[in-house]
């Protein structure tokens, strides 16, 4: 300190550095071990967290949150006497008292994996899974992840669980449902190999609404086919535009198993292709295997006829159902889409790495392409390359985008490749 009222440059720098490090976060530490609880609180204070609460049990944690209100992050042990971490998170989620979770546990890897799945089912955002002892750098990365992604700071609303069918019917009539497209790429060359067509509800007040919110209502209103065939029309328009530029872009559409019972499915697809002057070879239909357990003769006939037209058939979310191998043997799939959950866990779990490696080997043995979903980081990308995966999609490459945005994106990539 210089003369009264003055601050030296060094002191000012330290003050500014400290201010910049402050994190506007409310964090709860749930840990029954006194020493480890103290370490966690101290670590969070060093990172500049705005408010830190500490509890030795789930019961105490709930009492604190009911008094002080919701927290942004719960740094949570799982195995404790009295109320354990899982029961606490279940109750806290129901009461809307926790927005996101960092697991801090020394339990076995497979047990923690199951716990992570449970946390997602509770509607909470899982920021990460850290073992013990805590490492300050790892915690800092996860807290930054929370602050950098606005969606993680929004408490899930019960109203978003499912949209009102009447509202969805009106939205369909007003053409508020819009087709988005997410690229698939060759992981070795970076070449775009196709896109997956997705539907988003462009709500006039709520913005872009996820299919998880409105698809149940679409099905209950018997509007599934209307939405599906409108999406194919949009996809064929994109394909025709890209074809004019000298490239063929495969378009993948999500086909619900219930639609395979429609005896007019194949003829309607043929009619759309004929209208655009395109062939079935440029289309992939993705189906989740869970809905194909009791495939009827009509379902099987439709799948065979689609293959006869040249269309590709992809078994989606592979590995999360109970009959994947049986479906591969019985139905004419020629592509496997590996569920993103396995990709996201590559860094943390040996079992997931084994599943990915085994699926790639299975695909090669069966002559089927394997596409890895949910690639979000360079580390995941590198590990997939090392395992021999050559096809993938995810936010690392591109997010779903509108038709115009996709065409602009493809054109910009083509321009860059020409200069190289």
């Amino acid at each position: 300190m210089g003369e009264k009222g003055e601050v030296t440059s060094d002191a000012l720098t330290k003050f500014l550095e400290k201010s910049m490090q402050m994190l506007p976060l409310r964090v709860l530490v749930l840990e029954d071990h006194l020493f480890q609880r103290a370490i966690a609180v101290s670590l969070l204070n060093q990172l500049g967290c705005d408010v830190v609460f500490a509890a030795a049990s789930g019961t105490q944690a709930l009492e604190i949150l009911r008094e002080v209100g919701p927290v942004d992050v719960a740094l949570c042990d799982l195995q404790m006497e009295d109320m354990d971490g899982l029961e606490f998170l279940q109750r806290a989620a129901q009461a809307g008292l926790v927005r996101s979770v960092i697991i801090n546990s020394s339990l076995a890897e497979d047990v923690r994996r199951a716990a992570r799945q449970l946390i997602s089912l509770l509607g909470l955002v899982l920021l990460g899974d850290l073992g013990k002892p805590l490492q300050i750098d790892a915690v800092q990365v996860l807290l930054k992840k929370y602050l950098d992604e606005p969606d993680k700071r929004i408490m899930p609303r019960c109203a978003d669980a499912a949209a009102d069918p009447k509202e969805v019917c009106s939205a369909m009539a007003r053409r508020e449902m819009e087709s988005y497209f997410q690229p698939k790429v060759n992981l070795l060359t970076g070449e775009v190999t196709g896109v997956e067509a997705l539907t988003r509800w462009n709500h006039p007040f709520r913005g872009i609404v996820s299919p998880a919110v409105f698809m149940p209502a679409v099905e209950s209103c018997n509007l599934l086919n209307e939405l599906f065939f409108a999406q194919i029309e949009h996809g064929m328009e994109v394909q025709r535009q890209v074809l004019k530029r000298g490239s063929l872009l495969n378009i993948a559409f999500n086909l619900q198993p219930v639609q395979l019972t429609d005896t007019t499915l194949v003829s309607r697809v043929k009619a759309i292709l004929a209208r655009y002057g395109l062939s079935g070879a440029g289309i992939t239909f993705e189906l989740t295997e869970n809905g194909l357990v009791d495939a009827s003769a009509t379902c099987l006939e439709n799948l065979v006829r689609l293959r006869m037209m040249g269309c590709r058939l992809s078994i989606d979310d592979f590995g999360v159902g109970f009959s994947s191998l049986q479906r591969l043997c019985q139905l004419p799939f020629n592509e496997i889409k590996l569920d993103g959950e396995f990709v996201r866990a590559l860094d943390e779990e040996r079992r997931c790495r084994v599943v990915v490696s085994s699926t790639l080997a299975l695909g090669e043995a069966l002559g089927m392409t394997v596409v890895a979903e949910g690639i979000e980081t360079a580390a995941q990308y590198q590990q997939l390359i090392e395992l021999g995966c050559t096809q993938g999609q995810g936010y690392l490459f591109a997010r779903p985008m509108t038709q115009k945005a996709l065409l602009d994106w493809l054109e910009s990539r083509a321009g860059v490749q020409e200069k190289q």
Side-chain angles (χ1 to χ4, degrees), residues 49 58 186 197 335:
C49 290
N186 183 310
E335 179 181 285

Side-chain angles (χ1 to χ4, degrees), residues 196-213:
E196 178 182 359
L198 304 160
T199 299
R200 297 291 183 265
W201 180 5
N202 196 353
H203 194 284
F205 306 114
R206 294 163 58 189
I208 302 300
V209 180
S210 165
V213 174

Side-chain angles (χ1 to χ4, degrees), residues 116-311:
R116 292 200 296 271
Q117 292 177 324
L118 178 59
I119 288 169
S120 296
L121 290 172
L122 292 174
L124 298 172
V125 173
L126 178 65
L127 293 177
D129 179 359
L130 304 179
K132 293 184 176 181
L134 279 176
Q135 301 294 325
I136 190 167
D137 291 344
V139 176
Q140 186 175 31
V141 167
L142 295 182
L143 296 181
K144 186 176 185 301
K145 177 181 177 182
Y146 177 88
L147 291 170
D148 287 348
E149 299 182 31
D151 290 346
K152 289 185 170 27
R153 304 201 296 271
I154 300 173
M155 183 71 73
R157 295 178 296 170
C158 295
D160 284 346
D164 179 76
K166 291 182 179 179
E167 187 182 6
V168 171
C169 290
S170 298
M172 291 277 289
R174 294 192 298 269
R175 300 184 183 276
E176 291 175 2
M177 301 301 174
E178 190 172 1
S179 293
Y180 276 56
F181 302 90
Q182 184 175 28
K184 301 177 183 180
V185 303
N186 183 310
L187 301 184
L188 299 178
T189 65
E191 177 189 2
V192 178
T193 59
V195 296
E196 178 182 359
L198 304 160
T199 299
R200 297 291 183 265
W201 180 5
N202 196 353
H203 194 284
F205 306 114
R206 294 163 58 189
I208 302 300
V209 180
S210 165
V213 174
F214 63 80
M215 282 306 292
V218 169
E219 293 188 37
S220 68
C221 294
N222 295 316
L223 293 170
L224 200 55
N225 274 350
E226 181 179 333
L227 188 64
F228 174 71
F229 287 111
Q231 188 182 70
I232 292 183
E233 295 271 2
H234 298 155
M236 293 304 92
E237 178 59 35
V238 168
Q239 192 175 88
R240 188 164 62 180
Q241 291 291 330
V242 174
L243 198 58
K244 288 179 180 177
R245 302 176 184 182
S247 301
L248 176 62
L249 186 70
N250 186 279
I251 314 284
F253 302 96
N254 289 283
L255 181 62
Q256 300 300 319
V258 67
Q259 294 174 278
L260 290 173
T261 62
D262 182 357
T263 56
T264 68
L265 173 68
V266 175
S267 61
R268 293 183 69 177
V269 172
K270 277 185 176 179
I272 294 174
L273 288 171
R275 190 159 59 252
Y276 282 87
L278 299 169
S279 73
I283 291 183
T284 297
F285 291 108
E286 299 183 4
L287 298 98
T288 55
E289 52 93 9
N290 279 343
L292 296 169
V293 175
D294 298 315
S296 66
T298 303
C299 292
L300 184 56
E301 181 181 350
N302 276 328
L303 290 173
V304 171
R305 289 189 181 281
L306 288 172
R307 280 295 306 274
M308 289 171 64
M309 288 170 54
C311 303

